[in-house]
């Protein structure tokens, strides 16, 4: 079974969705470690209460390259095959991306390539789009940019605020993230250019 490491910076609801999916057998992988770059992130306790090892590798006060090396070392020590970013608010370096080729995933709360960066939900409301959603994609060296694995659509309502939209998008995040990881850990995909072709027949929910 593939071994998954999850990187977080905050509350960790996507981390929990992945752990629960693995524990319930909907995701045929084992979550072996959760790493936070923020010492008091709520997700650390959340992971521990789910029985998962959770550690902190602080990003503050350390040159970025040193931080990334520690991170790679911690993941390698635990023989992590696939890395999932789940609200990890740090940019990764080429060294990190190369350490786990085509095995780093991220979830973003918009339909990329619309609204990359911070607060995708607020950007969507402010722009006035009628549909938004979330995206799971492979991580490359640019922000919110790598090939897209799965997306889910969430309609924007007239009375939505950034928060109410974020709440509904989050529900979809919790569905598609485990599904996307399942595709990757089973190698059920092929990448042609920027297109990720999923071989299970489940595409474009
Ligand atoms: C999610 O909205 C995710 O899409 C974004 O950061 C947020 C993390 O939330 N990358 P959580 O920590 O998983 O609850």
């Amino acid at each position: 079974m593939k071994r998954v490491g999850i990187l977080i910076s905050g509350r960790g609801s996507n981390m929990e969705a992945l752990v629960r999916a693995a524990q319930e057998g909907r995701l045929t992988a084992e979550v072996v470690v959760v790493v936070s770059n923020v010492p008091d992130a709520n997700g650390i306790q959340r992971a521990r209460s789910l029985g998962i090892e959770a550690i902190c590798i602080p990003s503050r006060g350390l040159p970025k390259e040193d931080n990334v090396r520690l991170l790679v070392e911690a993941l390698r020590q635990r023989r992590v095959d696939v890395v999932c970013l789940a609200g990890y608010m740090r940019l990764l370096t080429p060294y990190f991306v190369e350490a786990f080729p085509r095995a780093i995933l991220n979830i973003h709360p918009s339909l990329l390539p619309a609204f990359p960066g911070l607060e995708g939900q607020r950007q969507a409301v402010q722009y006035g789009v009628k549909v938004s959603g979330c995206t799971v994609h492979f991580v490359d060296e640019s922000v919110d940019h790598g090939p897209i694995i799965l997306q889910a659509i969430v309609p924007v309502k007239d009375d939505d605020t950034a928060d109410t939209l974020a709440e509904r998008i989050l529900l979809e995040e919790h569905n598609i993230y485990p599904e996307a990881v399942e595709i990757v850990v089973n190698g059920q995909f092929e990448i042609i250019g920027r297109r990720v072709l999923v071989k299970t027949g489940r595409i474009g929910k």
Side-chain angles (χ1 to χ4, degrees):
M1 199 136 60
K2 293 274 195 224
R3 297 166 67 82
V4 172
I6 304 178
L7 307 191
I8 61 165
S9 299
R11 69 187 164 185
S13 73
N14 278 288
M15 175 277 298
E16 177 163 348
L18 291 172
V19 170
R20 287 197 185 280
Q23 290 176 342
E24 289 162 14
R26 285 175 287 123
L27 168 59
T28 50
E30 191 187 350
V31 178
V32 294
V33 68
V34 169
V35 185
S36 171
N37 67 317
V38 175
D40 56 358
N42 287 334
I44 296 178
Q45 279 316 317
R46 203 165 178 170
R48 288 182 184 149
S49 66
L50 290 161
I52 308 296
E53 182 194 13
I55 59 173
C56 178
I57 299 183
S59 49
R60 225 178 226 189
L62 208 65
K64 185 166 195 152
E65 208 47 63
D66 293 354
N67 170 259
V68 167
R69 276 175 202 280
L70 289 177
L71 198 52
V72 169
E73 197 179 294
L75 295 170
R76 286 211 171 119
Q77 263 171 12
R78 291 163 180 83
R79 291 178 287 115
V80 164
D81 304 296
V82 171
V83 180
C84 296
L85 312 187
Y88 189 67
M89 306 301 283
R90 284 280 285 183
L91 293 183
L92 293 168
T93 64
Y95 174 78
F96 191 92
V97 174
E98 282 156 25
F100 298 96
R102 286 287 180 249
I104 310 171
L105 282 65
N106 182 42
I107 182 139
H108 182 76
S110 75
L111 293 175
L112 291 172
F115 315 127
L118 293 177
E119 298 202 84
Q121 308 95 327
R122 188 174 307 279
Q123 293 184 56
V125 170
Q126 282 173 353
Y127 195 93
V129 292
K130 300 297 185 192
V131 292
S132 190
C134 48
T135 303
V136 181
H137 63 94
F138 284 109
V139 171
D140 64 14
E141 282 143 31
S142 308
V143 179
D144 300 330
H145 175 264
I148 291 169
I149 305 164
L150 290 180
Q151 292 186 304
I153 293 168
V154 176
V156 181
K157 297 181 183 168
D158 288 348
D159 60 356
D160 260 332
T161 62
D163 288 345
T164 58
L165 179 61
E167 240 172 71
R168 293 203 313 287
I169 290 177
L170 194 63
L171 298 176
E172 290 300 331
E173 293 183 37
H174 296 165
N175 288 329
I176 67 167
Y177 210 176
E179 281 187 47
V181 178
E182 178 69 2
I183 290 165
V184 171
V185 296
N186 289 313
Q188 291 164 328
F189 66 96
E190 188 183 349
I191 304 183
I192 299 176
R194 279 199 50 91
R195 304 188 72 195
V196 179
L197 306 182
V198 178
K199 293 179 188 163
T200 53
R202 184 211 175 279
I203 197 161
K205 185 177 163 185

